[in-house]
Amino acid sequence: MSRARSEREAGGMSVIEVSELRKSYGGRTVVDGVSFAVEEGEIFGILGPNGAGKTTTVECVEGLRVPDAGRVRVAGLDPVADHGKLALVLGAQLQESRLQAKLTVREALELYAACYPNPADWRPLAERLGLSGRLDTRFARLSGGQKQRLFIALALVGRPGIVVLDELTTGLDPHARRTTWELIEDVRDSGVTVLLVTHFMEEAQRLCDRIAVIDQGRVAALDTPAGLVGRSAGATVISFTPSAPLDESRLAALPGVASIAWKDGRVTLAGTDGTVDAVITLLARGHITAHQLRVSDATLNDAFLDLTGADR
């Protein structure tokens, strides 16, 4: 169990508070009454479809946007009025960032470190993120993944107590993504609070202690990853290829069935643990064999689709 989880069970302290946040652009409401609190030492995730208001929400937390209404506090500071003080306690990796084209990786790390009274040693950070061999490479010559890793290092070099990571591993290959996950887990375990915006379900399920799902500018759900999965209309997934034709209406009548899908003769049902027993009984009575029977738990992706209708 992580230190963050242990502390939260004992009663954590909120270091980010967002209450009834609203923001509009050109008459279009992007964030419509978003509220949540992030506790000290946890990784708090924000999930949502494209255009749901995720980035606008975190930009208000970072003080990069001025809310139209609502209240935001980060470590007790107003992100807009106290932006100078906030910069000393909050690190940020933005969804889109750029540096001067001729700046080298080494120069960028040294420059950012010089802005803080007690910076981290950027060398092991660069090593951990696979940048040691690129220290003399100019920004313009870095690949997209290398730029992403550099911005993560720059977000952490000031030893922030809170760090905001917007699309943390976009552009990274699978190995670099997992290495970055391990780094973020170490950062959290050192006591840093992480606010993570992501569209990778595996990333959210692995890293996040709690998740706010934002849809159409509002919080659709807020829970642990396991709690969100448990809310899924079909918490258990059963799939098989029947040895003989199977009446779909009889499947639909089984207890707990939330959905039925057919593909290439294979049927997949979302339901409950009770649905599994009912399916097996139905097949036995019909003398039908379930070839390649698979039973698995629903995933965070299933819960996300249920909550947001993101496949609509």
Side-chain angles (χ1 to χ4, degrees):
M1 179 182 295
S2 72
R3 183 170 70 181
R5 286 186 174 90
S6 298
E7 289 176 351
R8 190 163 53 259
E9 290 172 358
M13 179 181 70
S14 297
V15 293
I16 299 176
E17 298 175 344
V18 177
S19 178
E20 291 298 317
L21 179 66
R22 299 179 188 277
K23 184 67 180 177
S24 299
Y25 301 109
R28 182 175 69 91
T29 300
V30 177
V31 179
D32 189 11
V34 166
S35 298
F36 61 85
V38 180
E39 295 176 9
E40 185 175 16
E42 75 172 329
I43 299 180
F44 186 94
I46 295 181
L47 286 176
N50 290 337
K54 306 184 299 297
T55 293
T56 296
T57 297
V58 297
E59 286 178 345
C60 290
V61 170
E62 295 160 334
L64 300 177
R65 303 232 179 235
V66 180
D68 295 335
R71 182 177 186 272
V72 180
R73 291 293 182 272
V74 181
L77 301 171
D78 181 321
V80 177
D82 303 316
H83 193 70
K85 294 179 181 178
L86 183 67
L88 296 177
V89 298
L90 183 143
Q93 171 254 323
L94 307 181
Q95 189 178 69
E96 295 183 12
S97 302
R98 294 193 64 82
L99 295 174
Q100 203 278 334
K102 294 184 178 181
L103 201 67
T104 67
V105 171
R106 185 194 308 277
E107 289 168 341
L109 289 165
E110 290 177 342
L111 176 64
Y112 272 63
C115 295
Y116 298 95
N118 183 33
D121 183 347
W122 55 262
R123 293 165 186 82
L125 194 56
E127 176 72 27
R128 186 73 181 270
L129 287 164
L131 294 171
S132 292
R134 295 288 183 270
L135 293 179
D136 296 319
T137 303
R138 298 187 190 279
F139 179 78
R141 299 185 66 83
L142 295 175
S143 69
Q146 290 164 351
K147 290 177 181 177
Q148 185 78 342
R149 282 178 274 157
L150 174 58
F151 286 123
I152 294 169
L154 296 178
L156 297 173
V157 76
R159 296 184 190 270
I162 305 163
V163 64
V164 179
L165 304 169
D166 194 350
E167 302 296 357
L168 171 68
T169 58
T170 296
L172 300 188
D173 61 56
H175 175 72
R177 180 172 294 132
R178 290 187 179 277
T179 299
T180 303
W181 290 349
E182 292 170 1
L183 171 63
I184 299 307
E185 287 170 332
D186 288 347
V187 166
R188 183 270 309 278
D189 290 342
S190 73
V192 176
T193 303
V194 180
L195 179 58
L196 173 68
V197 180
T198 182
H199 67 272
F200 289 116
M201 298 298 156
E202 183 184 2
E203 181 167 282
Q205 193 151 9
R206 168 165 172 168
L207 292 180
C208 296
D209 298 304
R210 292 187 300 139
I211 297 170
V213 178
I214 295 181
D215 188 31
Q216 299 181 12
R218 298 182 178 183
V219 175
L222 198 166
D223 208 334
T224 63
L228 292 175
V229 171
R231 297 187 190 191
S232 178
T236 302
V237 178
I238 310 113
S239 64
F240 61 92
T241 302
S243 62
L246 191 56
D247 186 346
E248 184 169 323
S249 65
R250 298 186 69 186
L251 288 174
L254 295 177
V257 172
S259 66
I260 302 172
W262 290 86
K263 183 176 181 181
D264 299 330
R266 187 171 181 82
V267 61
T268 300
L269 299 90
T272 65
D273 289 343
T275 307
V276 179
D277 294 335
V279 167
I280 292 172
T281 300
L282 175 66
L283 296 175
R285 287 175 177 172
H287 303 289
I288 297 173
T289 301
H291 294 297
Q292 296 180 318
L293 175 66
R294 300 285 186 272
V295 179
S296 61
D297 292 333
T299 65
L300 187 58
N301 188 64
D302 296 319
F304 177 78
L305 293 177
D306 286 342
L307 287 165
T308 66
D311 56 349
R312 60 182 177 262

